[in-house]
Amino acid sequence: MSTEAHDTGGASGYIIHHLTPLSTGEGFWTVHLDTLFFSGFLGAFFLFWFHLAASRATSGVPGGLQNFAEMLVEFVDTQVKDSFHGKSALIAPLALTIFVWVFLMNFMDLLPVDLLPWLGSMMGLEYLRVVPTTDLNATFAMSISVFILIIFYSIKIKGVIGFGKELAFQPFGPWLLPFNLLLKVVEEIAKPISLGLRLFGNLYAGELIFMLIALLPWWGQWLLSFPWAVFHILIITLQAFIFMVLTIVYLSMAHEDH
Amino acid sequence: MSINATLIGQMITFMLLVWFTMKYIWPPLIDALEERKKKIAEGLAAAERGQSDMRLAEKRAQDVLKDAKSQAADIVGMAQKRASEIVEDSKGDARTEGDRLVAAAQAEIEHEVQQVKDGLRQEVSELALAAAEQILQKEVDQQVHAEMIKSVSDRLGKG
């Protein structure tokens, strides 16, 4: 964690440098290569190990890897069964993917803040932001996907008319239709926004504090970075868990017919 | 912090991850879990059954043992009865045999006594005849008096 390596404009320059993604393209068509690369890499990491465990899965005595995978599967399955009382082949795997993927992306936060950017700079990459969940695009990609699923299931279960009725006539009855509609639309829109912003905000703030700690003299950093990292182990797991549980809850709400 | 095309890329990545998990990861793992649960339940049931079987077998073994014991006692009792019967039978046999022997001996004795008596009677009649000869100083005609002597000796024999 050397602070000397980035002296382009002192402390704020260091932080801005760290928060600038490696990007290409112009305007809307800008693409954050680091976000895409790390999230894709971690997703592949997740799929690789879990697929290995799944392909070797036996009902006999499980090995260490299978045991670990089963532990997570059972954990997610319990969460799904607790809040979702329907039958769906999608929700449980979706919840597992969200939990593990978000956890892995959050976990990048615990790597020393300068390690990967330093390696990147040796490979000629000027900017490198290693935690994909500090990118709004990554968190909103998930929350918007979940939102699409919410709308899809609402219409699939209740029908277009049923869903429309729910939007128009609840909670105050048909006489306050515009008000109902406004309230419901805000309620629905708030779901993906809160989901995406919560994860982003937590991780962005966490990463920012790691950067601030990295600005301290080297002999004092561990005093703050160690407790913050320990605390962050809780935060990253909790945020992954919250994202997963809220996804399940939102989807089960979409399945419920009033 | 701008929303841009990265969002689309991330959504595609996310959908691929979910699809892959749904298709290749979740089903085998959850199946394995379910199957293990079933296996464990079956194993527990089998253990339960085995225990109850064992309890039954133990009970049956005890019954058989009890039967065998009572049968053995019966057999021993019968054998004792039979043995005492045999002893009684032999005692009876021995008694009759003894009686028979005694009777035979007595018959023998009587026979001997008769013989001795007959001999004595003969001798007495001869002696009487000799004495009578001497008394009469003349020879008694054996042929003539045989009848008389016989009747006398018969009377002696009866006496």
Side-chain angles (χ1 to χ4, degrees), chain A:
Chain A
M1 292 197 195
S2 66
T3 53
E4 289 80 20
H6 304 272
D7 45 12
T8 53
S12 60
Y14 170 75
I15 287 173
I16 287 167
H17 183 266
H18 264 283
L19 290 177
T20 309
L22 180 69
S23 55
T24 173
E26 286 293 321
F28 175 76
W29 294 106
T30 312
V31 171
H32 297 162
L33 294 174
D34 44 9
T35 302
L36 283 178
F37 171 75
F38 283 114
S39 62
F41 173 77
L42 292 169
F45 179 82
F46 155 62
L47 290 187
F48 173 76
W49 285 109
F50 272 68
H51 186 246
L52 196 68
S55 60
R56 288 190 194 158
T58 66
S59 57
V61 180
L65 179 66
Q66 194 194 339
N67 216 344
F68 177 73
E70 276 179 4
M71 199 181 76
L72 281 173
V73 164
E74 196 144 43
F75 166 69
V76 172
D77 198 42
T78 314
Q79 295 299 326
V80 171
K81 279 185 179 145
D82 277 354
S83 31
F84 181 71
H85 305 291
K87 237 182 137 54
S88 169
L90 174 71
I91 290 185
L94 175 76
L96 178 71
T97 312
I98 287 175
F99 181 67
V100 180
W101 198 36
V102 170
F103 176 81
L104 286 173
M105 290 195 289
N106 290 352
F107 187 83
M108 298 299 285
D109 212 6
L110 292 175
L111 297 178
V113 282
D114 276 318
L115 178 65
L116 288 175
W118 176 65
L119 289 174
S121 73
M122 293 210 301
M123 283 157 58
L125 303 172
E126 197 185 344
Y127 300 106
L128 195 64
R129 205 173 45 177
V130 297
V131 189
T133 39
T134 56
D135 188 341
L136 267 178
N137 292 299
T139 59
F140 273 124
M142 281 185 292
S143 63
I144 289 172
S145 303
V146 170
F147 181 63
I148 292 169
L149 286 174
I150 291 171
I151 302 296
F152 172 74
Y153 278 117
S154 292
I155 291 171
K156 190 185 168 199
I157 300 293
K158 300 160 192 165
V160 180
I161 297 166
F163 186 48
K165 265 187 185 166
E166 197 183 301
L167 287 183
F169 299 150
Q170 283 180 7
F172 297 121
W175 297 110
L176 286 165
L177 190 144
F179 192 57
N180 286 341
L181 205 60
L182 184 72
L183 206 70
K184 273 285 177 184
V185 167
V186 168
E187 189 187 317
E188 292 301 319
I189 301 285
K191 285 175 185 173
I193 291 177
S194 68
L195 210 52
L197 278 180
R198 181 185 300 108
L199 181 59
F200 163 75
N202 270 283
L203 270 291
Y204 192 79
E207 184 72 350
L208 204 60
I209 286 173
F210 273 122
M211 286 170 203
L212 291 173
I213 291 167
L215 284 168
L216 293 172
W218 63 268
W219 44 263
Q221 286 181 8
W222 65 273
L223 260 174
L224 288 170
S225 66
F226 175 71
W228 184 242
V230 171
F231 181 57
H232 227 65
I233 293 172
L234 176 69
I235 299 266
I236 61 174
T237 320
L238 195 66
Q239 286 305 321
F241 178 71
I242 288 172
F243 204 110
M244 177 190 80
V245 168
L246 285 178
T247 302
I248 298 167
V249 168
Y250 289 158
L251 285 176
S252 67
M253 276 162 72
H255 277 74
E256 268 162 26
D257 214 338
H258 291 285

Side-chain angles (χ1 to χ4, degrees), chain A residues 28-32 36 39 46-47 54 58-60 66 70 73 89-90 92-94 97 101 129 137-138 141 145, chain B residues 1-7 9-11 14 17-18 20-22 24-26 28-30 32-33 35-37 39:
Chain A
F28 175 76
W29 294 106
T30 312
V31 171
H32 297 162
L36 283 178
S39 62
F46 155 62
L47 290 187
T58 66
S59 57
Q66 194 194 339
E70 276 179 4
V73 164
L90 174 71
L94 175 76
T97 312
W101 198 36
R129 205 173 45 177
N137 292 299
S145 303
Chain B
M1 265 325 105
S2 52
I3 295 291
N4 54 35
T6 313
L7 182 79
Q10 286 294 106
M11 279 174 78
F14 182 56
L17 289 178
V18 171
F20 192 89
T21 310
M22 200 171 100
Y24 298 109
I25 290 174
W26 186 268
L29 283 171
I30 203 84
L33 279 172
E35 208 176 310
R36 182 162 332 113
K37 260 183 212 158
K39 265 191 185 174

